[in-house]
Amino acid sequence: KAQLTLSSRLQLVALEAMEGRKGTVALYNYRTGELLCALTTPNYDPDEVPDLGQDLTGEYEGVYMNRFTQSVYIPGSIFKIVTTAAALEEIDDIREQTFKCTGTQEYGKYDVTCEKKHGTLTFESAMAQSCNCAYAQIVEQLGAENLKKYVKQFNVTQRLSFDGVPTAAGNFDITDASPVQIAWSGIGQHNDQINPARFLTFMGAIANDGLEVMPHLMQRITNSNRQTYRAKAVTGDRIMSQKAAQELQQMMRNNVVEKYGADSFPDLTVCAKTGTAQVGGEKEANAMFAGFVLDEEYPIAFFAAVEDSGYGSKVCIPIISKLLETCMEVL
């Protein structure tokens, strides 16, 4: 008999909150590694397997792919968490710097653009406002080699394996990239790709003061009333300094308080970053949201990606809000 770490109640709440949209939503305990929710949609009733050859609606497109473990997504602005962490590690005075946003950061005949002119921003407010122009300036200070070094150090694009399940690898390739392409890579576009399970673990490491705890799905196995396996927390690498992790916690908390609204997560100290990932073509952007809870009773990291749906703040925050509310009851 096998017992999983997943909560059926959280899985159901996540499924209902997705409202038929494609994507993935996940929560895990970043102290124990227990995966509490790992939803992938679309899904189907095993008693009524869909006939994909007859499906002209696209409703079941990708139904046999586990988006949590097998997929990769363009991260959009949630990747600014990576760039922020790199800047905290590498640039001594980054917290004291200011950045000017006129709506456009020019690179010859190509530009990095913002949705609006943000004016003068601190490092903290640049993250809260998700200012592309400010982050282009931060990437310039970091330089391409440092950016690559920290992406590797943070394990953001590395494959993850738990309970015998390997995940897809992400991608961060700025080989022969132009300055504007390097800037967009630090912003989470260009050809960046991240795997949800790995990025969830990255969120847990930040909450854990820079130390990774690997997720797991299998809780215990019993055979003839004898327990043959019981999961234990598996600690991975220290991917960043405690100082950088704690500063990043503070900045991500500021995002919630100053930008998203702490009232979306009553009674919880949520730290997070939204993303709106442009995927090209005629599709809407993918909505993204990643973060964690800094409360001793609820050590939860989370990740949400909702495809072809628009802004992360509008689409993903209500989903995670419902899940965290239920999670408080489940735990």
Side-chain angles (χ1 to χ4, degrees):
K1 179 182 178 182
Q3 181 177 338
L4 302 182
T5 60
L6 294 177
S7 161
S8 58
R9 186 175 173 192
L10 286 171
Q11 290 283 106
L12 182 59
V13 168
L15 181 62
E16 291 173 347
M18 285 292 280
E19 297 179 343
R21 296 168 294 197
K22 295 181 175 70
T24 182
V25 184
L27 280 71
Y28 98 121
N29 184 318
Y30 57 78
R31 296 275 167 76
T32 66
E34 295 168 294
L35 273 166
L36 303 176
C37 175
L39 179 77
T40 177
T41 57
N43 48 33
Y44 63 94
D45 185 342
D47 291 329
E48 297 181 15
V49 178
D51 183 350
L52 299 186
Q54 299 298 317
D55 176 33
L56 302 179
T57 67
E59 179 182 356
Y60 291 107
E61 182 182 356
V63 71
Y64 296 125
M65 171 182 281
N66 185 318
R67 282 163 158 82
F68 178 62
T69 58
Q70 295 175 297
S71 70
V72 291
Y73 286 99
I74 298 169
S77 287
I78 62 171
F79 198 84
K80 288 172 181 167
I81 302 170
V82 179
T83 304
T84 302
L88 287 168
E89 293 279 36
E90 188 68 24
I91 305 171
D92 291 338
D93 66 343
I94 192 68
R95 296 294 298 270
E96 287 73 53
Q97 290 189 33
T98 58
F99 308 89
K100 289 186 178 179
C101 171
T102 62
T104 303
Q105 188 79 8
E106 296 182 358
Y107 292 83
K109 59 181 180 179
Y110 299 104
D111 299 328
V112 166
T113 56
C114 273
E115 287 192 332
K116 65 178 182 179
K117 299 177 182 179
H118 290 109
T120 301
L121 298 168
T122 65
F123 185 45
E124 190 169 61
S125 61
M127 190 187 201
Q129 297 298 324
S130 201
C131 176
N132 291 344
C133 292
Y135 271 83
Q137 296 166 48
I138 293 164
V139 170
E140 286 178 21
Q141 286 192 57
L142 275 170
E145 291 307 311
N146 275 329
L147 195 55
K148 285 195 294 185
K149 179 182 81 172
Y150 284 107
V151 169
K152 183 177 181 180
Q153 178 179 313
F154 299 154
N155 292 332
V156 176
T157 60
Q158 303 302 310
R159 290 185 187 276
L160 185 65
S161 181
F162 56 91
D163 298 323
V165 179
T167 72
N171 183 70
F172 185 83
D173 185 3
I174 50 177
T175 305
D176 299 325
S178 66
V180 70
Q181 290 172 327
I182 294 169
W184 277 119
S185 285
I187 293 166
Q189 294 288 159
H190 186 40
N191 59 11
D192 298 1
Q193 293 180 325
I194 54 101
N195 168 260
R198 172 53 83 178
F199 208 81
L200 178 69
T201 308
F202 177 54
M203 291 299 96
I206 298 169
N208 230 6
D209 290 346
L211 191 65
E212 285 184 328
V213 172
M214 298 296 103
H216 63 266
L217 187 63
M218 187 64 65
Q219 184 73 295
R220 63 175 62 88
I221 299 173
T222 55
N223 185 7
S224 300
N225 297 321
R226 182 173 62 87
Q227 185 169 284
T228 59
Y229 172 82
R230 182 179 179 84
K232 297 180 181 179
V234 177
T235 303
D237 300 329
R238 170 165 289 282
I239 62 170
M240 69 180 70
S241 67
Q242 183 180 44
K243 180 176 182 290
Q246 290 178 348
E247 289 178 324
L248 191 49
Q249 292 167 14
Q250 180 187 358
M251 292 179 69
M252 293 174 68
R253 176 60 182 165
N254 181 68
N255 291 349
V256 174
V257 173
E258 298 296 329
K259 187 67 176 177
Y260 314 142
D263 56 351
S264 296
F265 311 100
D267 304 318
L268 291 173
T269 309
V270 172
C271 311
K273 179 77 185 75
T274 60
T276 305
Q278 306 297 327
V279 295
E282 298 181 357
K283 289 188 174 183
E284 279 198 71
N286 289 343
M288 316 290 284
F289 193 45
F292 45 86
V293 179
L294 273 186
D295 294 317
E296 194 65 32
E297 305 94 322
Y298 308 110
I300 302 301
F302 55 81
F303 178 93
V306 185
E307 299 171 20
D308 197 16
S309 60
Y311 288 93
S313 55
K314 181 179 179 182
V315 176
C316 295
I317 287 179
I319 295 172
I320 296 298
S321 177
K322 290 175 184 176
L323 271 173
L324 290 180
E325 182 181 356
T326 306
C327 202
M328 292 173 70
E329 299 171 7
V330 169
L331 291 184

